[in-house]
């Protein structure tokens, strides 16, 4: 599952990803705060596997 679009596909995507990363790194809580307990997976009305996404987000942003 791909989280983000390839920046080579559109130059605007690279700018948006840079802004997103800058914002993400200023957040008090990040994906690294996830304690894979599964609570969010059970609560999500859209059946999104949040633990999996948190892991990929942590890898992508490095925190």
């Amino acid at each position: 599952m791909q989280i983000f679009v390839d920046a080579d596909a559109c130059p605007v995507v690279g700018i948006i990803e840079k802004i997103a990363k800058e914002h993400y790194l200023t957040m008090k809580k990040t994906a690294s705060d996830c304690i894979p307990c599964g609570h969010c997976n059970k609560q999500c009305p859209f059946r999104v596997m949040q633990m999996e996404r948190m892991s990929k987000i942590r890898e992508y942003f490095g925190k």
Side-chain angles (χ1 to χ4, degrees), residues 34-42 51:
C34 176
I35 56 163
C37 65
H39 180 76
C40 57
N41 285 355
K42 294 174 193 164
M51 290 188 326

Side-chain angles (χ1 to χ4, degrees), residues 6 12 19 32 42 45 57 63:
D6 183 5
V12 174
I19 292 168
S32 62
K42 294 174 193 164
I57 291 168
K63 113 176 204 180

Side-chain angles (χ1 to χ4, degrees), residues 10-35:
C10 175
V12 174
V13 171
I15 294 167
I16 292 170
E17 285 189 351
K18 181 180 178 200
I19 292 168
K21 185 168 190 170
E22 288 172 359
H23 172 73
Y24 180 83
L25 294 175
T26 66
M27 295 173 69
K28 290 181 182 178
K29 296 285 185 182
T30 63
S32 62
D33 293 305
C34 176
I35 56 163

Side-chain angles (χ1 to χ4, degrees), residues 37-58:
C37 65
H39 180 76
C40 57
N41 285 355
K42 294 174 193 164
Q43 297 299 314
C44 181
F46 305 107
R47 309 240 190 276
V48 174
M49 296 291 102
Q50 294 296 339
M51 290 188 326
E52 210 175 284
R53 289 186 57 83
M54 289 296 110
S55 176
K56 291 182 181 194
I57 291 168
R58 183 174 42 250

